Amino acid sequence: MPRRYSCRWTGRTPWLHAGSIVERDADGTLYNTALLFDRAGDLRGSYRKIHRYGFDTGGATLMGSGDDIVTVPTDFGVIGLATCYDLRFPELFRGLLDAGAELIVVPAAWPATERSRAQRP
């Protein structure tokens, strides 16, 4: 897993949210992981997706499940990390708020079939 990134933008030193990526753990388990790097390019937070999509198909069979709620203090507030399908589980977001999150970053991509089901009449 990356521990640093390099930014060549002239005069700018942004925080970088890289998510989500597929991470392979030392034991071979794959995780859907979001990374947060600080202005110096150092890894400040790593979140392994807790809620995998599907029960016995798709991501639930291919990826491991994370265990930890992750917040990262930054110079512009405490950031909470979540990923895609986590949006359907409000207890995660309550946990992030209880852990001090002031801003929550959630990369998500929803197939058209899922978007139409989620829309309210």
Side-chain angles (χ1 to χ4, degrees), residues 81-105:
L81 301 177
T83 302
C84 200
Y85 191 60
D86 285 331
L87 284 167
R88 294 195 176 191
F89 299 87
E91 66 275 9
L92 172 61
F93 295 90
R94 170 50 52 203
L96 287 167
L97 292 174
D98 290 346
E102 299 170 287
L103 170 71
I104 299 174
V105 178

Side-chain angles (χ1 to χ4, degrees), residues 2-7 13-16 37-43:
R3 298 284 176 222
R4 287 186 53 79
Y5 82 95
S6 175
C7 184
T13 54
W15 281 76
L16 175 68
F37 295 91
D38 66 16
R39 294 179 192 281
D42 295 321
L43 181 64

